């Protein structure tokens, strides 16, 4: 049944234009972007807003069924060793808090609203490659295998307080807001020579907290874009040595 539900959620889907009439019970912070709320003209073969609302209700139910079976808190309904494949899925307010799964594939998925992985445990590979994440909560998440966030986009908070990693990679990831990846022993213990943030970027705003593992910092760009490159101290030292050596070689 899990494979059937995941297969259904992987089918192409666009969120309906308005959220308040879809899921009043989750009203609160409206995390949909203005572009998601714009009315669209229905094209030939495209579902209208009412049809998309109806389908979205079914998709929410499918998410809730999955949540009951991967959550350790629902002891009687918990199914151990689930391999969850939601690659390319469009999901709203994904709740994996307290979940325990063998593998998790969210490659290319769009996680609108909140994506809650609080105290989740992923025993094998956790794939978030090219994932579009709204408000990401990975507080206390235990990544027992490789954790790949290559090319992921964090549109809102990226909270990893007390998370545990074995084999992390954040290549080409982009952070739009708050980053909390500092003070994690499993990341701080890695040498800055290990390129876990290769080609990663972050938007620089005055009010955003940006905590990175030891040996990493955000270097502002000088192109007026309010972007910064996440660089290791060892990279900067190497560049400085090369620059100094070049300058010394000039007549």
């Amino acid at each position: 049944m899990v494979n059937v539900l995941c297969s259904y959620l992987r089918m192409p889907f666009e969120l309906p234009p308005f959220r308040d009439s879809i899921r009043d019970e989750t009203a609160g912070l409206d995390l949909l972007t203005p572009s998601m709320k714009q009315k669209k003209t229905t094209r030939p073969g495209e579902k209208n807003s009412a049809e998309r609302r109806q389908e979205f209700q079914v998709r929410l139910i499918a998410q809730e069924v999955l949540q009951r079976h991967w959550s350790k808190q629902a002891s009687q309904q918990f199914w151990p060793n689930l391999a969850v494949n939601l690659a390319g899925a469009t999901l709203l307010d994904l709740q994996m808090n307290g979940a325990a799964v063998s593998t998790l594939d969210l490659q290319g998925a769009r996680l609108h609203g909140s994506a809650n992985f609080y105290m989740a445990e992923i025993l094998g590979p956790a794939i978030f490659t090219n994932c579009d994440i709204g408000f990401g909560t990975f507080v206390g998440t235990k990544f027992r295998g490789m954790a790949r966030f290559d090319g992921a986009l964090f549109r809102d908070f990226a909270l990893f307080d007390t998370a545990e990693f074995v084999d992390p990679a954040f290549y080409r990831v982009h952070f739009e807001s708050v980053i909390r990846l500092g003070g994690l022993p499993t990341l701080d213990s890695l040498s800055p020579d290990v390129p876990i943030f290769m080609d990663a970027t972050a938007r620089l705003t005055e009010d955003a907290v940006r905590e990175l593992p030891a040996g990493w910092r955000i270097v502002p760009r000088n192109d007026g874009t309010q972007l910064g490159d996440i660089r290791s101290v060892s990279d900067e030292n190497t560049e400085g040595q090369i620059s100094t050596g070049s300058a010394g070689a000039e007549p």
Side-chain angles (χ1 to χ4, degrees):
M1 185 178 73
V2 169
N3 290 337
V4 173
L5 293 174
C6 288
S7 178
Y8 171 67
L9 290 172
R10 291 198 303 270
M11 294 175 64
F13 180 73
E14 291 293 330
L15 287 177
F18 299 102
R19 180 181 176 185
D20 53 357
S21 60
I22 299 170
R23 200 178 188 190
D24 294 335
E25 67 271 22
T26 60
L29 287 177
D30 189 351
L31 297 176
L32 300 186
T33 64
S35 62
M36 296 178 195
K37 301 177 185 178
Q38 292 177 356
K39 292 184 177 180
K40 296 181 180 179
T41 302
T42 302
R43 300 173 182 173
E46 185 180 52
K47 295 180 180 179
N48 60 35
S49 297
E51 290 174 330
R52 280 190 287 159
R53 287 192 179 97
Q54 292 172 358
E55 181 178 349
F56 191 50
Q57 289 285 358
V58 177
R59 296 174 72 90
L60 287 176
I61 293 172
Q63 282 187 216
E64 291 169 0
V65 172
L66 287 173
Q67 288 161 197
R68 288 199 296 270
H69 290 305
W70 63 41
S71 174
K72 291 182 293 185
Q73 298 170 355
S75 57
Q76 294 183 347
Q77 301 182 61
F78 173 63
W79 290 350
N81 303 317
L82 290 181
V84 179
N85 181 1
L86 290 169
T90 297
L91 307 168
L92 176 64
D93 296 337
L94 178 63
Q95 299 298 315
M96 292 199 72
N97 47 304
V101 297
S102 61
T103 62
L104 176 62
D105 189 350
L106 284 164
Q107 179 173 349
R110 293 182 295 171
L111 309 184
H112 297 293
S114 63
N116 187 355
F117 297 85
Y118 175 75
M119 298 300 291
E121 184 176 24
I122 301 112
L123 300 177
I127 309 300
F128 293 83
T129 303
N130 297 323
C131 189
D132 190 326
I133 303 170
F135 192 116
T137 301
F138 297 85
V139 176
T141 305
K142 296 177 176 60
F143 298 96
R144 302 302 191 190
M146 67 178 184
R148 294 291 180 266
F149 289 85
D150 306 345
L153 167 61
F154 285 88
R155 295 184 179 272
D156 210 312
F157 286 24
L159 308 180
F160 287 85
D161 309 59
T162 70
E164 298 178 11
F165 293 90
V166 173
D167 181 15
F170 292 83
Y171 303 159
R172 304 182 309 282
V173 70
H174 176 72
F175 299 99
E176 272 288 300
S177 185
V178 170
I179 311 168
R180 293 226 300 250
L181 273 161
L184 305 180
T186 52
L187 291 185
D188 288 345
S189 62
L190 294 174
S191 168
D193 294 328
V194 179
I196 59 173
F197 291 103
M198 181 182 294
D199 297 325
T201 58
R203 185 167 300 280
L204 300 175
T205 55
E206 294 182 0
D207 58 342
V209 176
R210 294 179 292 274
E211 300 173 357
L212 293 172
W216 293 88
R217 62 188 293 263
I218 300 174
V219 180
R221 293 182 178 178
N222 295 318
D223 55 6
T225 60
Q226 290 188 318
L227 293 178
D229 296 300
I230 299 179
R231 308 283 293 276
S232 72
V233 175
S234 60
D235 285 344
E236 294 180 35
N237 291 340
T238 300
E239 291 178 2
Q241 290 171 5
I242 293 174
S243 175
T244 302
S246 299
E250 293 178 2

